[in-house]
Amino acid sequence: KQWYQRRVAITAGGIGRILYCILECNFKVRENDDKRTWLNLPPLIAPTKCSVLPLSNSPEFIPYVEDLSAALRKLGIPNKVEDSSGSIGRRYARTDELGIPFGITIDFDTMKEQSVTVRDRNSCSQIRVPVSDTPDLINKLCTEQMTWGVAKEKYPEFIGQESNN
């Protein structure tokens, strides 16, 4: 008599398990703040690559928001205009929870200097970038042609803004 040992490979790798693994492995909590959670989706798989955040609902910001959002869409970069109420910190936190890797903030210096603040979700660090360079920079960051570290070396770090208004 011969003995056969049956071996069955059960592949249960449906999309639900894949998504669960992605979410489980990328859900993070900020150090020193258990209430601040974020989704660390790599830019390549994040459904929304960046958010465009006007500092306030000032009508002066609208052309910059529309132009930047359109330029990003033209490059095929999905973006979300986050102009809801609340402080800029709360809006950053909301976009962090959605897994949006980068944030572009349009502020009062944008009109004076033609530059915006670009924020990295993972490090929360910010750099000041000319408006004309911003879509290309975001494209390079999202397609991994440039790292955040290289971007920080190329553009000045943004620490804070004095309010003159």
Side-chain angles (χ1 to χ4, degrees), residues 37-155:
T37 58
W38 53 294
L39 193 56
N40 185 21
L41 293 176
L44 280 174
I45 66 167
T48 305
K49 309 296 184 196
C50 77
S51 56
V52 180
L53 305 108
L55 193 61
S56 71
N57 289 329
S58 173
E60 301 163 315
F61 294 155
I62 293 172
Y64 292 99
V65 171
E66 291 173 349
D67 292 348
L68 263 174
S69 184
L72 291 165
R73 280 193 311 273
K74 189 174 181 180
L75 290 174
I77 302 169
N79 64 85
K80 175 184 182 359
V81 174
E82 176 58 72
D83 57 359
S84 60
S85 63
S87 71
I88 193 69
R90 287 181 198 260
R91 290 189 283 155
Y92 282 149
R94 277 195 292 263
T95 61
D96 291 351
E97 288 176 341
L98 294 173
I100 300 174
F102 305 104
I104 302 169
T105 305
I106 296 162
D107 55 28
F108 295 102
D109 287 342
T110 300
M111 292 174 285
K112 290 184 237 168
E113 302 170 3
Q114 295 298 303
S115 64
V116 295
T117 302
V118 177
R119 177 183 179 268
D120 174 55
R121 172 204 58 212
N122 294 356
S123 66
C124 294
S125 61
Q126 301 176 15
I127 55 176
R128 199 73 193 174
V129 180
V131 173
S132 58
D133 292 0
T134 304
D136 187 50
L137 172 67
I138 296 294
N139 188 41
K140 286 179 179 177
L141 289 169
C142 289
T143 57
E144 297 181 346
Q145 296 173 34
M146 182 185 287
T147 64
W148 182 251
V150 171
K152 281 179 70 173
E153 290 173 7
K154 185 174 181 180
Y155 297 102

Side-chain angles (χ1 to χ4, degrees), residues 13-24:
I15 191 73
R17 286 183 185 214
I18 294 169
L19 286 175
Y20 177 78
C21 287
I22 289 170
L23 294 174
E24 170 100 14

